[in-house]
Each structure stands twice: as C-alpha cells, then as structure tokens.
Amino acid sequence: MILVAGVDEAGRGPIAGEVFAAAVILDQGCEITGIVDSKKLSPSARDRLCKEIKSAALSWAVSFATVAEIDQMNILQASLLAMKRAIEMLDARPDLVLVDGNHVPSDIDIEVRSIIRGDQTEKAISAASIIAKVARDNRMRELHDQFPQWMFDAHKGYPTKKHIEIINDIGLTPHHRRTFAPVRRVIEGKKSDSKGSSG
C-alpha cells in the first residue's frame, strides 16, 4: 500500500501567534464523513472531526514555527518549516506527500507535490487542515489565558477591527509578529488599521 501524507498549515494571515502545520496519513479506506477544508467547518465540527481523524489515521503529527522564526524568515518560509517539521514527526514514512498550495518544503527525501486548493480535493490534506486549525485555536486560547485583555480567544490573532483597536490602545504582546504591517505601525508609534496583515 502506498502511504500518502496530506499536509496543510493554519495561521499564515494572523498578526500574532505561531503558524501551525499538520501532516496526516489516512488509510485508503478511511470512512470518516465530513472531512472538508477546515475553514468550511464550525469549531464544534472541527473538534469532533479532529478527534476522529487522530483516532483513525495511520499516522499524524502537528508542529509549528515560532513568532521569532516568522519574523526572521517571513511567513511563507516559516509555514514551510512548520510543514517540514510535521512531516518529519510522522511515525510512518510516507511514499508521497501532498501539500496544499503552490509551494513545498525543501530538504525532504520524499516525493512532495503541491496542489492548489488541495484542502478542497484531497481528503488527507483536508484532514491535516483540520488538525492544524484545532491545534492553533487551542494555542490562541492558551494565549488568551495569559493575556486576556488582547482577546486572543475571539480573533485568534487575525487583524480584525477589534484586535487592531486593542493593539492601538494597549500595545503589543511578545506574541505579536513584528514584521507584519499593523504591528510594525504600532511599534513605529503610528495608529494601525485592519488593512493588510503583512509587510
């Protein structure tokens, strides 16, 4: 049996928090219903499916790249690094890796293919998107517990109007991405707005 791993990330657009990635190898006869792109699911559906996927998968792994790594190498490269880490953490070595998007992580001794909108067409990629999204949302709830004034549990680090108002009013946490435009404007002493998340 050829082992195919699906890989996807969560958290490229936010201005705070790590970027997460997951890798999932599903049995070819996987019968879990409802596995679709995580963005099309409610939080409760994602949580339920995440548990089912982890239970049924031949192997799964989730990893991340830190805010410091995002600021150092840019969000695309940090996303690919998180993907590479997740792939390397799998218990089983896949014969083929399918990655959502049009970029693939480098320095992996396995055949890797990118699939644009793969989270809509490949069940293993959709499963990875669900695990990555749930892991990142859980992390943002942890940050909310540490920094409740910033309301990370509500906006999950995305540059919503409310989030921008908060950083304009009370400043930044160590978990804000310094190279992203709205954050950079606050560092420079300028009022930020919710247009554009990276610079």
Side-chain angles (χ1 to χ4, degrees):
M1 180 177 70
I2 296 177
L3 297 183
V4 179
V7 180
D8 201 2
E9 53 74 27
R12 281 182 59 173
I15 60 172
E18 300 88 346
V19 59
F20 277 72
V24 181
I25 301 175
L26 295 176
D27 189 305
Q28 291 180 346
C30 176
E31 296 182 353
I32 300 173
T33 58
I35 296 180
V36 295
D37 174 15
S38 64
K39 294 184 286 293
K40 297 181 178 180
L41 297 168
S42 67
S44 61
R46 278 196 300 265
D47 288 341
R48 174 181 57 80
L49 284 166
C50 184
K51 293 174 183 175
E52 291 186 31
I53 293 164
K54 288 179 176 180
S55 177
L58 297 177
S59 183
W60 66 270
V62 63
S63 190
F64 61 87
T66 66
V67 170
E69 288 170 328
I70 293 169
D71 285 338
Q72 178 184 2
M73 63 179 63
N74 76 45
I75 185 59
L76 172 59
Q77 294 305 317
S79 299
L80 296 175
L81 177 60
M83 290 180 180
K84 179 182 178 181
R85 287 171 173 164
I87 294 166
E88 292 175 341
M89 290 170 61
L90 288 167
D91 292 333
R93 177 183 170 86
D95 301 294
L96 172 65
V97 175
L98 302 178
V99 177
D100 182 51
N102 56 1
H103 296 88
V104 299
S106 59
D107 300 323
I108 296 177
D109 188 24
I110 304 170
E111 182 181 357
V112 184
R113 299 177 192 166
S114 63
I115 301 178
I116 296 175
R117 289 186 290 278
D119 53 4
Q120 300 175 32
T121 60
E122 296 290 337
K123 182 174 276 191
I125 295 179
S126 299
S129 78
I130 291 168
I131 290 180
K133 175 65 173 168
V134 169
R136 189 176 192 281
D137 284 356
N138 288 341
R139 171 59 174 157
M140 298 312 292
R141 281 188 282 270
E142 290 176 0
L143 290 184
H144 173 75
D145 291 340
Q146 298 174 39
F147 302 92
Q149 288 178 283
W150 279 264
M151 298 175 63
F152 287 122
D153 62 330
H155 54 66
K156 303 297 190 296
Y158 282 87
T160 63
K161 181 179 179 182
K162 183 62 178 178
H163 189 184
I164 297 302
E165 289 175 355
I166 291 170
I167 63 174
N168 281 332
D169 291 343
I170 61 177
L172 306 169
T173 72
H175 302 281
H176 280 90
R177 302 173 181 178
R178 266 54 185 172
T179 53
F180 280 52
V183 177
R184 196 171 62 241
R185 282 194 287 269
V186 172
I187 294 171
E188 294 169 350
K190 304 171 184 175
K191 285 289 183 181
S192 194
D193 58 43
S194 58
K195 296 178 181 177
S197 60
S198 62

